[in-house]
Amino acid sequence: MDKVNIASARVVGLQQSLHLSDYQYTVALTVTYIPYILSGFPSALVLKYVGPDILLPAMVTLWGVAAACQGLVNGYSGLLACRFFLGLFEGGVVPSITLYLSFFYPRMVLQKRITSLYVVTVFSAPFMIMLGAAISQMNGTGGKPGWAWMFIIEGLFTICFGVISFFLLPPSPGKARFLTERERSYVVSVLKQAGSVSEDDVNDNFSWTEVIRAAKSPHVWLLVITAFLGGTILSGLVFFQPSIIVSLGYTGFQAQLMSAPPLLVTVVFSITAAVIADHYRCRGYTFILFAFLEMIGATIFYANKSRHVRYGSLFFWSAGVFGSMPAAMTWLANNVAPHARRASALAAFSITTELGGILATWLLGYISPAPDYKAAMITFTAMSVISVILAVVNLVYLTRQNSLKAVRRRYMKKEDEPDSLGDRSAWFIYSL
């Protein structure tokens, strides 16, 4: 809510109140990404050592403060400062939460959990839109415009949640207070058996060697590139859907409400696909399906001038992008071990996702004008096609690696392998 409510604030007058040009508004969005990108990698690497029960609530609380302060600014420079600190404190949250979830759940059931993370993001959008529409009616209260109250009230929600999380969030399955000792032992044993955590805790310690091994893994790079492509499309939808709907002829309160239906449909579609993907362990095929939906949505918007048809294209676009990103992130988390290697890969995934956000910000905010957004839609279509190609290449590569590992298992025992191989072990089967 705090990251994207600037899009709704723009619809109800932020840009006019602060006398921002389209260029300045785009710069304000871009400023968020720079510290966001820089903070993602170190946050994921230190998560286990600082403790997720400390680091995650701290980041959330501080970003809530930065978000609320946006409602107190009265000029361009103040908005830039708030957006910078918002990105700084939020940048490590998504890779850290994804890594945190991988501490608790075996690989074969992880996509439902990561999809839930994205679905909550999706679900927060229509909730934020409706809440923002209601809060905007406070225009003039306390001498502040409605968009300012939107930032202040929603930021206070985040601060409260962050503080509460200090007392509720367990650091690991082995220390979860809501589980009995027997349940904790069972969960840890299942995670070790599934390869989600190492048999020996020493192998999960930080090592620059594991960071380098992640950087040398072809399947990591293939998915990190798709993260950039998907991040561009995702950010375009998240930050500009209200503005796109305004360009279709809807205005004000109606425009905000019209943003909700595509996102609500996305929730049902994404959860259903995640359940199927976990059951059949088909990460790559799920990703390809959603990438095709992205392509269909962008193509329809580009090819048709009818505002009703273009509005319908948002359903495909939304379902595609919010389904493909958790599928790709789960696919990556499933196929990288041990901990430090996985943390590095997920941090790289998050960083390139946000780099895509910078491109989307300029594509839709400045380079490609409304109402047609021609350059943006052509770019999104091409990116969806490239994503499918990369996913197919990754499927072929992982299938080949699994075949080679099967041959190795015939001629050696597990005890003969070094303990530090991680996902390169013959007994680590890549998820397809």
Side-chain angles (χ1 to χ4, degrees):
M1 287 171 59
D2 292 324
K3 185 178 179 183
V4 302
N5 58 7
I6 191 171
S8 292
R10 185 190 192 190
V11 172
V12 294
L14 174 142
Q15 192 168 351
Q16 292 77 15
S17 294
L18 298 183
H19 307 292
L20 305 179
S21 65
D22 287 344
Y23 175 82
Q24 288 176 315
Y25 176 79
T26 304
V27 170
L29 295 184
T30 305
V31 164
T32 310
Y33 286 108
I34 298 170
Y36 196 109
I37 291 166
L38 295 176
S39 63
F41 187 73
S43 298
L45 291 182
V46 304
L47 178 70
K48 186 174 181 180
Y49 310 104
V50 175
D53 55 325
I54 296 173
L55 187 61
L56 282 172
M59 289 191 291
V60 171
T61 303
L62 291 172
W63 115 45
V65 173
C69 286
Q70 292 176 104
L72 305 177
V73 304
N74 52 21
Y76 178 51
S77 59
L79 181 64
L80 289 181
C82 288
R83 298 300 296 181
F84 177 88
F85 284 105
L86 181 65
L88 179 66
F89 297 133
E90 191 188 353
V93 172
V94 172
S96 295
I97 289 180
T98 305
L99 190 60
Y100 180 65
L101 289 173
S102 73
F103 295 169
F104 280 82
Y105 296 101
R107 294 190 299 151
M108 67 287 296
V109 296
L110 188 58
Q111 187 165 335
K112 288 194 292 290
R113 276 73 191 186
I114 294 180
T115 298
S116 297
L117 172 62
Y118 276 83
V119 162
V120 168
T121 304
V122 176
F123 195 73
S124 73
F127 177 76
M128 179 266 292
I129 289 164
M130 291 183 284
L131 179 63
I135 296 174
S136 66
Q137 303 304 308
M138 295 176 63
N139 188 44
T141 302
K144 293 190 174 297
W147 60 263
W149 284 113
M150 193 182 303
F151 287 130
I152 293 169
I153 293 175
E154 292 175 4
L156 288 174
F157 287 161
T158 303
I159 293 170
C160 292
F161 181 80
V163 171
I164 292 172
S165 297
F166 277 109
F167 302 97
L168 298 181
L169 205 62
S172 67
K175 297 179 181 179
R177 292 189 298 270
F178 52 84
L179 297 177
T180 65
E181 183 62 36
R182 182 179 179 184
E183 289 169 337
R184 288 194 289 267
S185 298
Y186 172 75
V187 170
V188 171
S189 66
V190 169
L191 290 170
K192 288 182 177 181
Q193 185 178 2
S196 299
V197 297
S198 297
E199 292 283 349
D200 185 350
D201 290 341
V202 174
N203 291 329
D204 275 341
N205 290 339
F206 174 76
S207 166
W208 283 110
T209 300
E210 295 300 342
V211 176
I212 295 170
R213 284 175 177 170
K216 289 182 176 179
S217 300
H219 62 292
V220 171
W221 276 106
L222 288 168
L223 288 174
V224 163
I225 295 171
T226 63
F228 171 76
L229 303 174
T232 304
I233 303 171
L234 174 67
S235 296
L237 179 69
V238 166
F239 280 111
F240 291 95
Q241 181 173 291
S243 298
I244 291 171
I245 290 175
V246 168
S247 75
L248 298 179
Y250 304 99
T251 58
F253 185 77
Q254 183 188 24
Q256 294 191 64
L257 293 181
M258 291 294 285
S259 299
L263 298 175
L264 292 173
V265 170
T266 296
V267 170
V268 176
F269 200 82
S270 297
I271 291 177
T272 302
V275 171
I276 294 172
D278 273 346
H279 183 75
Y280 293 102
R281 303 185 188 181
C282 51
R283 314 295 183 206
Y285 300 106
T286 306
F287 175 83
I288 291 171
L289 168 64
F290 283 118
F292 270 115
L293 291 180
E294 293 173 2
M295 182 171 56
I296 291 170
T299 302
I300 291 175
F301 193 100
Y302 174 78
N304 201 293
K305 301 294 184 182
S306 167
R307 76 167 186 164
H308 300 295
V309 174
R310 283 185 165 179
Y311 178 73
S313 73
L314 296 178
F315 286 82
F316 290 96
W317 185 6
S318 180
V321 72
F322 279 107
S324 64
M325 291 302 286
M329 185 170 271
T330 306
W331 202 9
L332 182 61
N334 275 183
N335 290 330
V336 184
H339 168 80
R341 201 181 304 175
R342 185 186 303 129
S344 303
L346 290 174
F349 187 99
S350 180
I351 288 169
T352 52
T353 299
E354 300 309 319
L355 286 173
I358 295 177
L359 175 58
T361 297
W362 286 93
L363 261 179
L364 287 162
Y366 193 70
I367 297 173
S368 185
D372 293 329
Y373 300 103
K374 286 185 178 180
M377 295 305 153
I378 292 172
T379 303
F380 293 159
T381 301
M383 285 182 164
S384 300
V385 173
I386 295 171
S387 294
V388 171
I389 294 172
L390 292 174
V392 171
V393 172
N394 199 37
L395 278 171
V396 172
Y397 172 77
L398 294 177
T399 301
R400 172 65 176 163
Q401 292 301 308
N402 282 342
S403 298
L404 294 174
K405 289 182 179 188
V407 173
R408 286 164 53 194
R409 289 196 298 272
R410 292 192 201 124
Y411 298 102
M412 64 184 298
K413 296 180 180 180
K414 190 174 182 180
E415 295 76 22
D416 297 331
E417 276 194 339
D419 293 333
S420 59
L421 288 180
D423 62 80
R424 297 178 184 180
S425 166
W427 276 263
F428 188 102
I429 310 301
Y430 288 122
S431 298
L432 302 178

